[in-house]
Amino acid sequence: MKTSSGTKTQTIALFSGSLLFQIIQVGTFPILISQFLSESSLSSFAIGIFVAVAWIVVFLAGPFVPSLIADVGAHRSNLFASCFTLVSLALLALSPTPAFIALSSIAMGMGLIIRWIVCDTLVVRVSAPHVRGRMIGLHEALMGLGIGLGPLLFVGTALQTVVWICIGIAVLGQLAFFIANIRPIVELEETQGAAPGQKFLIRVILTALVAAFVAGLIENSAIALLPLYFEHVDFSLQISAILVSSFGFGGTLLQPALGYIADRWNYYLAQMLCILFIIGSSLVVLLFTEQMLVSLIALFFLGGASGGLNTLAVIEAGRSQRAPQIPAAMTAIAMLYTLGGIAGPVASGASLELFQNQGMMILFVVSGAILALFLVFHRYQATLGSDNRQQ
């Protein structure tokens, strides 16, 4: 079934709104609150806990989002997400004290999880099966672009000015969602067949969900705490923001290629490539922290690889489920990514306290290695099970 020109316009608007809110919710907000809190002389560990608050809210609220979508529809749910985001930013504009930052993080977490599941659900629904990997890859590339653009707001800009810029971006994002809701988005017909049900859930838990956890751990640790990480080598906030931006732009450029690999070749191969880049890039940053250009390039590949793990998880879940199950599948992916988002900043903050520069990158290397071992073991089990069934 072909989409109409109206649907193409709405899809572009949907992608644009998703990008604009990603700039705020993931690319800017963690850095914003960590910088406000650093002015309060809090430790890196305490700042990591504050950053994790939004992700704790995401984890707790996530299971209720599919019901919200079913009750009020996807586009009204997106309106709720925008309202929560604006409330969060208004609290920062009013008074960026630790108490207000905690309330702001709660509101931002609500806005993030609703927008996240709604947009992933809509993207899967409007994508034809034979190009679904590439469409999801493009959408996830825009999410990486949001991570890349967000830190650039801090270059030569006061923190309160960044807050007001984010408010303006949120308004534009909601206007894009209004355009996407001019008329109901045409959903492409799903292929027929029995839903995998419990077997699907077991497979996702054993593969995609674990990869999503590692992606959340690395991405959210890097976005929030890399500026603090590079403080140890006396890089300014502006230089650190550029380095974090490189991490985000890596997540932008690699995702369509991973989507193409998932459509045409091997999902497992794409995952292992991401893991190799995570381990290799982390080691390069660890060994050459003080060399800005080397770190810039390494972070570019680290961002692409960590974001790629989440992209591949969404592709796998989107392929396996028909329209009624897609919100639940996206929620499952979001929950494990969120667990990583909670654990990552706290563990990375603690590692910065204990080991200074070495700790966070060692954490990334160990996480990648554990995921690699898990995937190899799971693939071996699957092969062994297939052989047993053929006998």
Side-chain angles (χ1 to χ4, degrees):
M1 175 178 176
K2 294 182 179 180
T3 58
S4 67
S5 60
T7 301
K8 290 179 182 177
T9 300
Q10 291 171 282
T11 302
I12 292 171
L14 172 65
F15 276 42
S16 299
S18 188
L19 167 63
L20 290 170
F21 276 98
Q22 180 79 353
I23 291 172
I24 300 167
Q25 294 169 332
V26 182
T28 303
F29 185 77
I31 301 175
L32 192 60
I33 63 171
S34 68
Q35 291 302 310
F36 275 131
L37 290 168
S38 67
E39 295 177 353
S40 302
S41 300
L42 292 176
S43 68
S44 297
F45 178 69
I47 292 172
I49 292 176
F50 268 92
V51 172
V53 167
W55 293 102
I56 293 171
V57 172
V58 166
F59 181 75
L60 294 176
F64 301 99
V65 176
S67 297
L68 177 67
I69 296 172
D71 290 342
V72 305
H75 291 287
R76 285 186 180 178
S77 298
N78 252 346
L79 179 59
F80 290 152
S82 300
C83 291
F84 276 117
T85 302
L86 286 168
V87 168
S88 171
L89 295 170
L91 288 169
L92 290 184
L94 183 63
S95 178
T97 59
F100 273 69
I101 287 173
L103 293 174
S104 177
S105 296
I106 292 171
M108 188 62 73
M110 290 295 297
L112 171 57
I113 187 57
I114 297 172
R115 190 269 305 170
W116 183 358
I117 294 176
V118 168
C119 289
D120 276 357
T121 297
L122 289 174
V123 170
V124 170
R125 285 182 178 180
V126 302
S127 303
H130 67 285
V131 295
R132 182 162 291 158
R134 276 161 277 186
M135 286 290 287
I136 294 172
L138 177 59
H139 183 251
E140 296 303 316
L142 291 175
M143 300 303 93
L145 180 60
I147 296 173
L149 292 174
L152 296 181
L153 298 179
F154 294 89
V155 178
T157 310
L159 294 180
Q160 278 292 350
T161 303
V162 173
V163 174
W164 286 104
I165 291 173
C166 287
I167 290 173
I169 293 173
V171 172
L172 290 175
Q174 183 52 46
L175 288 175
F177 286 144
F178 280 142
I179 294 172
N181 193 32
I182 291 173
R183 65 171 183 261
I185 289 181
V186 178
E187 294 181 11
L188 295 168
E189 294 175 357
E190 296 289 332
T191 55
Q192 297 301 312
Q198 197 170 21
K199 189 180 294 184
F200 158 76
L201 292 176
I202 293 173
R203 178 161 54 83
V204 169
I205 289 171
L206 291 177
T207 56
L209 291 185
V210 178
F213 174 86
V214 174
L217 183 149
I218 295 175
E219 283 197 328
N220 292 286
S221 298
I223 295 164
L225 297 177
L226 274 176
L228 298 178
Y229 177 90
F230 286 110
E231 279 185 3
H232 293 287
V233 291
D234 296 325
F235 284 174
S236 67
L237 175 59
Q238 286 75 22
I239 296 297
S240 297
I242 292 172
L243 290 167
V244 179
S245 182
S246 178
F247 177 91
F249 282 120
T252 301
L253 297 179
L254 189 58
Q255 307 319 303
L258 287 169
Y260 184 78
I261 291 171
D263 281 337
R264 295 293 300 273
W265 289 300
N266 190 288
Y267 177 81
Y268 173 78
L269 172 63
Q271 283 183 317
M272 294 304 295
L273 285 173
C274 288
I275 291 169
L276 288 175
F277 276 117
I278 286 171
I279 294 173
S281 299
S282 299
L283 288 173
V284 169
V285 175
L286 181 65
L287 296 173
F288 301 97
T289 301
E290 297 183 9
Q291 299 184 28
M292 179 190 169
L293 183 59
V294 175
S295 293
L296 191 79
I297 296 171
L299 288 172
F300 178 87
F301 286 105
L302 178 61
S306 58
L309 290 178
N310 188 62
T311 296
L312 293 168
V314 173
I315 291 170
E316 184 71 3
R319 280 179 172 176
S320 304
Q321 295 291 276
R322 293 182 294 170
Q325 292 82 35
I326 287 172
M330 295 303 105
T331 300
I333 298 297
M335 290 299 93
L336 265 291
Y337 182 95
T338 299
L339 278 178
I342 294 169
V346 175
S348 295
S351 70
L352 287 173
E353 290 289 314
L354 293 173
F355 305 107
Q356 295 187 351
N357 268 3
Q358 292 79 18
M360 187 160 67
M361 291 303 148
I362 291 173
L363 176 65
F364 293 172
V365 170
V366 171
S367 299
I370 291 173
L371 177 59
L373 291 173
F374 178 86
L375 292 177
V376 170
F377 178 72
H378 174 71
R379 188 172 178 84
Y380 171 77
Q381 278 196 323
T383 303
L384 188 63
S386 177
D387 292 341
N388 290 336
R389 285 193 297 270
Q390 291 175 0
Q391 292 177 356

